[in-house]
Amino acid sequence: MHARTIDPLALDSYQRAARVLLANHLVTRTYPDRIALPLIRRWATELREDLADLLGYRLEVTETTARLFPVPDRLDGGRPARTPGDRVFDRRRYAYLSLALAALGRAGDQITLSELADQVAAYAGRVDGLELSTERAADRDAFVDAVAWLAARGALALADGDAGGWASDPDAGEALYDIDRSVVFAIFRPPRALQHLHSVRSLLADDAEPASAQGRTAAARRVRRALVELPVVYAETLGAAERSALGGEKLVAEVELLTGLRAERRGEGVALIDTSGRFSDLRFPSTGTLAQVALLLIGEIADLVLDTDHPLPRRERPADAERFADGLDAAIPAATVFAPLAAPEPGDDESIANEDVPEPVTHPFVDDDWIGVTVRALTERYGSTFAAQWQADVPGLTAEVISLLRRLSLVEVVDGGLLALPALARYRGAVVTVRTRAESELFASARSLGAHATADPVTTSPNNSGEATD
């Protein structure tokens, strides 16, 4: 591992480069910022070899891009594409994004927004159930969101005009974009042609490894990948070989040296702690209504779990991976799959069937009714300090908070409620103080209208020195 031989004075620079790559996978001259690519280019040789050795990842670095090709071991729906307004992409936006990439791959150095829309509309017309009509505002907005996602990563650069003006009125507005073809080609590079797959499972790494030195090496790589990709690596979710590897100090130390982060180890699993918040795509604890309510709810759940007079029922975590894969497979248009090149369906593997099965692990179950009542009570108590959009939408607030906790691997959503996972206890005992803003801090216009002083909740946790990476 090259990190061991790097001068201690330069090690921080190397680790920052590794964190940028692991957090973004695609780095361009402008994304995620202008200093990231030069930093990665400085350490390209060392990173290429270390990432391949430790994680099995391939790194390609050019003058304009750095592209990390991860090896997926599981299907993860927790990192969706998002609009500039932080809304999750829906199926239509994903479709427009894919078709826009196809169109840009055949374009020249520049393209207008209307030309790109026409090409995407033509492609969309060949897909059953998909259409892009520039006469519909909803379609225009979804298309502009896809274009904005590409522009944020440097595939497109606005040369003239305004995309918002086109979205409002395509007859009056227009935008001209420069195309960076190297970024376009770097964005989507699947390991196999998608039209040749019968199942999304064919994109995943092969977990069926023999009980050999090669198998142990592969298991160790899977665990290292889990440590840098998941908020928490729970031992109960791993196979026997992976659990054995996770228990070793050497493997975790290698990931710490690569990333510059520190691992927090508990009996239930391990999490990398990022106190800077720059390695994770989701900082927690954090500011904002959702994060603050999530921390308050954690405290309430922890108190409920610790109430020995009223023990909660316990359940096992469901195996949702197969259902998730089946849902994705249902969207594959069978007519475009070229059968002779398609991957065969994976069969049963004796090494998995013969694997020692550990005792089932159960977790406290909290029902939906209790969650709803508790969030409503928190809203009644602190609602005046919440963002306006959530004050009148407690069900929506509840759903978003639960989604946040699920992304952090603090809870598991199940039918009728949720399971409180062990890492949730890390943030128990939240202390709430209400900070009252002085009148001098309010806007002058508000004072002129006789506005009253407002209050902001400041929610802290005795364990908020760091966060689990995501």
Side-chain angles (χ1 to χ4, degrees), residues 92 96 131-144 166:
R92 176 166 50 177
Y96 291 165
E131 183 182 7
L132 169 56
S133 173
T134 56
E135 296 179 358
R136 287 198 295 265
D139 284 9
R140 295 196 303 271
D141 289 342
F143 174 69
V144 168
W166 181 88

Side-chain angles (χ1 to χ4, degrees), residues 3 25-26 48 58 106 135 180 192 221-222 242 270 279 301 317 332 350 396 401 409 470:
H25 293 180
L26 173 66
R48 186 180 294 111
R58 188 175 88 255
R106 297 174 173 85
E135 296 179 358
D180 190 326
R192 302 184 60 208
R221 282 180 174 173
R222 288 195 293 270
E242 287 82 7
V270 180
F279 181 59
I301 294 175
R317 295 178 71 174
I332 297 178
E350 293 183 2
V401 167
S409 293
D470 187 19

Side-chain angles (χ1 to χ4, degrees), residues 6 12 24 28 58 79 157 169 201-202 219 226 235 287 294 306 310 319 324 333 345 351 400 418 431 462:
I6 294 175
D12 178 68
N24 297 283
T28 67
R58 188 175 88 255
R79 301 183 187 181
D169 185 355
R201 296 173 181 84
S202 298
T287 58
L306 294 174
H310 302 88
F324 189 20
E345 293 295 332
S351 64
E400 289 296 324
L418 57 82
V431 178

Side-chain angles (χ1 to χ4, degrees), residues 346-415:
D348 294 333
D349 189 273
E350 293 183 2
S351 64
I352 296 177
N354 295 332
E355 183 181 273
D356 292 335
V357 179
E359 290 294 325
V361 178
T362 61
H363 303 281
F365 170 75
V366 182
D367 64 70
D368 285 334
D369 291 340
W370 184 92
I371 294 293
V373 170
T374 301
V375 175
R376 183 168 296 279
L378 293 173
T379 303
E380 292 174 354
R381 185 172 183 181
Y382 302 109
S384 62
T385 68
F386 292 176
Q389 71 182 100
W390 301 121
Q391 294 181 18
D393 186 13
V394 176
L397 174 62
T398 303
E400 289 296 324
V401 167
I402 295 302
S403 176
L404 173 61
L405 295 178
R406 182 177 182 274
R407 290 174 62 193
L408 291 165
S409 293
L410 302 179
V411 303
E412 180 75 31
V413 178
V414 297
D415 292 338

Side-chain angles (χ1 to χ4, degrees), residues 103-442:
L104 292 173
R106 297 174 173 85
D109 295 329
Q110 287 188 320
I111 194 168
T112 64
L113 192 60
S114 58
E115 289 174 339
L116 182 57
D118 289 342
Q119 293 185 35
V120 170
Y123 292 157
R126 305 175 191 175
V127 180
D128 293 340
L130 181 63
E131 183 182 7
L132 169 56
S133 173
T134 56
E135 296 179 358
R136 287 198 295 265
D139 284 9
R140 295 196 303 271
D141 289 342
F143 174 69
V144 168
D145 283 340
V147 170
W149 189 96
L150 292 168
R153 282 148 185 82
L156 296 171
L158 184 65
D160 194 15
D162 175 27
W166 181 88
S168 299
D169 185 355
D171 294 326
E174 184 59 282
L176 176 66
Y177 287 95
D178 294 324
I179 303 172
D180 190 326
R181 298 179 65 81
S182 64
V183 177
V184 170
F185 294 136
I187 284 178
F188 186 61
R189 297 269 297 279
R192 302 184 60 208
L194 297 188
Q195 64 266 34
H196 298 166
L197 303 181
H198 277 312
S199 171
V200 69
R201 296 173 181 84
S202 298
L203 292 173
L204 302 180
D206 184 8
D207 287 335
E209 297 286 351
S212 62
Q214 182 181 3
R216 290 190 292 272
T217 298
R221 282 180 174 173
R222 288 195 293 270
V223 173
R224 294 190 198 99
R225 291 197 288 259
L227 285 170
V228 299
E229 293 169 359
L230 301 178
V232 184
V233 180
Y234 290 109
E236 66 180 282
T237 65
L238 304 176
E242 287 82 7
R243 288 196 301 273
S244 177
L246 184 64
E249 294 291 340
K250 181 176 182 292
L251 181 147
V252 175
E254 289 171 336
V255 176
E256 289 179 321
L257 183 60
L258 173 69
T259 62
L261 306 181
R262 292 294 173 263
E264 183 173 294
R265 185 186 291 273
R266 295 288 185 267
E268 299 86 359
V270 180
L272 288 183
I273 306 302
D274 174 25
T275 57
S276 71
R278 296 175 182 174
F279 181 59
S280 173
D281 63 347
L282 185 62
R283 185 174 178 82
F284 189 80
S286 184
T287 58
T289 298
L290 295 181
Q292 296 286 293
V293 174
L295 195 54
L296 290 169
L297 182 60
I298 286 174
E300 298 293 334
I301 294 175
D303 289 343
L304 185 67
V305 171
L306 294 174
D307 185 357
T308 56
D309 293 332
H310 302 88
L312 294 175
R314 301 180 70 89
R315 295 187 186 178
E316 295 181 49
R317 295 178 71 174
D320 288 333
E322 290 300 310
R323 185 172 59 184
F324 189 20
D326 290 340
L328 293 174
D329 288 347
I332 297 178
T336 66
V337 178
F338 187 39
L341 294 180
E345 293 295 332
D348 294 333
D349 189 273
E350 293 183 2
S351 64
I352 296 177
N354 295 332
E355 183 181 273
D356 292 335
V357 179
E359 290 294 325
V361 178
T362 61
H363 303 281
F365 170 75
V366 182
D367 64 70
D368 285 334
D369 291 340
W370 184 92
I371 294 293
V373 170
T374 301
V375 175
R376 183 168 296 279
L378 293 173
T379 303
E380 292 174 354
R381 185 172 183 181
Y382 302 109
S384 62
T385 68
F386 292 176
Q389 71 182 100
W390 301 121
Q391 294 181 18
D393 186 13
V394 176
L397 174 62
T398 303
E400 289 296 324
V401 167
I402 295 302
S403 176
L404 173 61
L405 295 178
R406 182 177 182 274
R407 290 174 62 193
L408 291 165
S409 293
L410 302 179
V411 303
E412 180 75 31
V413 178
V414 297
D415 292 338
L418 57 82
L419 304 181
L421 301 182
L424 180 145
R426 186 173 190 271
Y427 303 98
R428 69 182 182 275
V431 178
V432 181
T433 59
V434 177
R435 182 183 64 209
T436 302
R437 295 180 183 174
E439 184 178 351
S440 60
E441 296 180 26
L442 302 178

